[in-house]
Amino acid sequence: MTQQPIIAPSLLSADFGNLERDVQMLNRSKAEWIHLDIMDGMFVPNISFGIPVVKAVRKISEKPLDVHLMIEQPERYIHTFKEAGADLLTVHWEACTHLHRTISQIKEEGMLAGVALNPHTPVAGLEDIINDVNLVLIMSVNPGFGGQKFIERSLRKIEALRDMIKRNKAEALIEVDGGVCRDNVADIVKAGADAVVAGSAVFRSPDPEAEIIALRDC
Ligand code: DX5
Ligand code: ZN
């Protein structure tokens, strides 16, 4: 058994007609965070849900909200997502011209600040910001949709990031998002992940709570 990762189920795969039921299930479960995927149809070719849904989840959730912004110019909405109830706000490296400023603003709002990397974006681009972020989200699929296959190359990126964090004596957590399942979670944690997002693995399971435990006990 490897070290137990933080499990952050993604509501993208929940039943939106029964969202309260699904959030209550996560409250009862061993999940530590609830992951919310915000998509604008521009940065990614899909539109998911927005601020009113985050607010509604906040009212029901007993767990921290891990909000992943897949939107252009995310700096426009930092305060809005704080008000909506985000505890951790992650923006994409590729969507931020002034990433350092955006990260500072997220922290000034009292949230933890994360930066996400698309599969083609090298980890090396984080060298000058790694000491400023609370979390790095390695996308292990191309963002936009749940239920895609894990890109194996991501394991090397996790290792490279773990090495960078160590070299810089940084404290950023590593979160991995996309295609995480029972079959690969042990390798992902072994490579250096602290937290994993799981959408379809959890919500397509006949027993989501047991699936969360299985992922955590990898
Ligand atoms: C993809 C999202 C993911 C997604 C993961 O763009 O960022 O959080 O919900 O879904 P699975 O676990 O099904 O790959
Ligand atoms: Zn996500």
Side-chain angles (χ1 to χ4, degrees):
M1 193 166 107
T2 40
Q3 200 199 332
Q4 287 186 336
I6 290 170
I7 308 297
S10 165
L11 286 184
L12 192 62
S13 298
D15 177 355
F16 293 137
N18 288 288
L19 200 51
E20 177 162 10
R21 182 201 64 191
D22 284 358
V23 174
Q24 295 292 11
M25 178 279 291
L26 296 179
N27 283 342
R28 286 192 307 271
S29 79
K30 299 288 181 197
E32 279 193 51
W33 300 340
I34 298 186
H35 187 85
L36 294 104
D37 289 299
I38 312 297
M39 304 178 184
D40 66 354
M42 292 292 289
F43 181 73
V44 289
N46 193 12
I47 299 176
S48 55
F49 51 80
I51 294 135
V53 175
V54 179
K55 282 186 182 161
V57 172
R58 174 73 285 162
K59 283 194 194 138
I60 314 162
S61 172
E62 293 162 11
K63 314 253 165 142
L65 301 189
D66 166 27
V67 177
H68 176 193
L69 297 183
M70 283 160 275
I71 66 174
E72 299 281 6
Q73 299 178 318
E75 64 278 4
R76 295 172 295 159
Y77 291 102
I78 294 170
H79 182 66
T80 308
F81 279 99
K82 169 65 184 176
E83 298 257 281
D87 296 284
L88 199 165
L89 194 65
T90 295
V91 295
H92 264 265
W93 188 94
E94 304 82 5
C96 296
T97 308
H98 301 288
L99 180 60
H100 184 273
R101 179 186 292 146
T102 303
I103 292 296
S104 304
Q105 287 171 344
I106 295 171
K107 293 197 289 191
E108 278 160 23
E109 286 279 358
M111 295 178 281
L112 295 175
V115 58
L117 296 186
N118 277 336
H120 75 281
T121 304
V123 164
L126 293 174
E127 192 82 47
D128 295 304
I129 194 128
I130 195 66
N131 291 95
D132 301 300
V133 297
N134 301 110
L135 177 136
V136 178
L137 181 62
I138 298 278
M139 286 307 304
S140 42
V141 298
N142 285 292
F145 303 93
Q148 303 180 78
K149 191 177 174 305
F150 182 84
I151 298 171
E152 287 297 323
R153 167 83 204 183
S154 315
L155 293 172
R156 303 255 303 274
K157 290 180 74 175
I158 300 164
E159 287 167 1
L161 179 58
R162 177 53 63 207
D163 182 56
M164 179 189 289
I165 289 171
K166 210 168 161 190
R167 267 190 289 109
N168 286 278
K169 297 186 174 50
E171 287 175 0
L173 294 174
I174 302 177
E175 186 177 27
V176 177
D177 186 3
V180 176
C181 64
R182 279 182 195 223
D183 297 340
N184 57 22
V185 67
D187 288 341
I188 292 167
V189 174
K190 209 165 130 217
D194 301 292
V196 294
V197 176
S200 48
V202 168
F203 287 100
R204 283 190 204 155
S205 164
D207 187 347
E209 284 184 67
E211 196 63 32
I212 290 166
I213 292 172
L215 291 169
R216 194 196 55 163
D217 294 345
C218 54

